[in-house]
Amino acid sequence: MDCLDNITNNLYLLLLSLNRRFFNPHELLKNLNIPLSHAKVLFYLIHNGPAPISKIAEKLCISRPNMTPIIDKLVEGGYVVRFYSEYDRRVILIKHTENACGLFKSLEKTTKDSIEEKLKTLSDDELQEFSQSLNTLLNSIKNI
Amino acid sequence: MDCLDNITNNLYLLLLSLNRRFFNPHELLKNLNIPLSHAKVLFYLIHNGPAPISKIAEKLCISRPNMTPIIDKLVEGGYVVRFYSEYDRRVILIKHTENACGLFKSLEKTTKDSIEEKLKTLSDDELQEFSQSLNTLLNSIKNI
DNA sequence: TATTGTTATACTCTATAACTATA
DNA sequence: TATAGTTATAGAGTATAACAATA
């Protein structure tokens, strides 16, 4: 029976290996050719839906005053739109556009193509075993 | 038999999940309370040994002129030292100190503690299965 | 002539305090 | 009085071109 320490260490190693050999989200977002903070805002909106500026700032640890130029640039680029809340006229909500989705879709495709290239170096048997283990991990992680 | 597309997609999902639920190296380095570029230089030196300034700059995609203030700060903090190459007097080599090792060691401990906390929510059976799958993945990844 | 590291400088991103408008 | 978003502004990080020392 592996002890918890050992498993923890292996999971730590797995993360480092995956991030080195496949991709890490930080390097990935840099490939969008927009500042990292802008990319994080788009990523947040795509995964969480429209949100007030203060909420985005709080969740992403970006200071509220800096949100103004960030949103300005994203509006300029056609990646988000501003609209007032119906319930509180102080609140401005931000919503991502189809344009933003397209940006991330193409990034996802590039990444997956690169992963696929690397997986091809495994034999069929190895790949099958790899796939089963992958499914087990994904299921366990859902329970955490 | 799972197709390659499917496996690729699952690996992509695994990376995103792990980075969200456990840690991602970028967020991790931010916890060092030094700028990300400084942390990356230290990480590079610890994993690759002493190196000339231009080489570090090239590998980490940092412009050479910006290396000067970065190294200055790291020297100030006692994390690295400069020394001249014996073979080429133009070259200044950078070496990390024990101080830098300590910084990363404590970061690693904090991270592993947090991972361990999360793994504790799994049942013994789940944990055992998790551990086996983890080992399989680590082995396959070595072959990629 | 080419390369290493530096200086000078302008630009962008970031952090803090103070402001307005709404509640 | 408290909150949302903005403005103003200073500071830190980054990118480009030009420089001195060495090869």
Side-chain angles (χ1 to χ4, degrees), chain B:
Chain B
M1 160 90 186
D2 288 329
C3 68
L4 192 57
D5 260 14
N6 198 3
I7 302 173
T8 299
N9 197 49
N10 282 341
L11 187 55
Y12 183 80
L13 285 178
L14 180 70
L15 259 89
L16 289 185
S17 303
L18 289 177
N19 276 282
R20 277 191 163 192
R21 286 173 203 255
F22 293 94
F23 72 92
N24 72 62
H26 175 235
E27 294 303 322
L28 201 63
L29 291 180
K30 277 176 67 177
N31 289 338
L32 288 176
N33 286 327
I34 54 176
L36 189 59
S37 54
H38 299 201
K40 286 171 93 172
V41 169
L42 289 183
F43 190 80
Y44 179 83
L45 291 172
I46 288 173
H47 287 272
N48 297 278
I53 292 178
S54 340
K55 188 172 181 186
I56 303 170
E58 191 197 331
K59 291 286 182 186
L60 301 180
C61 294
I62 299 171
S63 71
R64 279 189 296 284
N66 289 332
M67 288 300 290
T68 304
I70 292 174
I71 301 297
D72 284 347
K73 291 272 176 58
L74 290 174
V75 169
E76 257 180 64
Y79 297 121
V80 303
V81 292
R82 278 186 238 243
F83 63 101
Y84 281 93
S85 162
E86 300 176 48
Y87 310 105
D88 185 336
R89 293 186 55 203
R90 292 172 306 181
V91 173
I92 295 176
L93 292 156
I94 308 299
K95 191 168 94 176
H96 69 276
T97 63
E98 271 306 310
N99 208 346
C101 293
L103 196 69
F104 275 78
K105 275 270 186 297
S106 69
L107 184 67
E108 187 177 319
K109 189 178 176 334
T110 313
T111 309
K112 286 185 177 173
D113 286 350
S114 141
I115 292 179
E116 204 167 303
E117 265 326 294
K118 284 164 188 154
L119 287 180
K120 276 183 185 162
T121 63
L122 293 176
S123 72
D124 278 0
D125 284 354
E126 253 180 329
L127 200 59
Q128 208 46 40
E129 201 183 26
F130 185 86
S131 172
Q132 280 165 18
S133 301
L134 196 50
N135 288 328
T136 306
L137 281 192
L138 278 173
N139 276 322
S140 299
I141 285 171
K142 277 189 205 143
N143 298 332
I144 288 177

Side-chain angles (χ1 to χ4, degrees), chain A residues 8 37 67 90:
Chain A
T8 298
S37 54
M67 287 300 291
R90 293 172 304 179

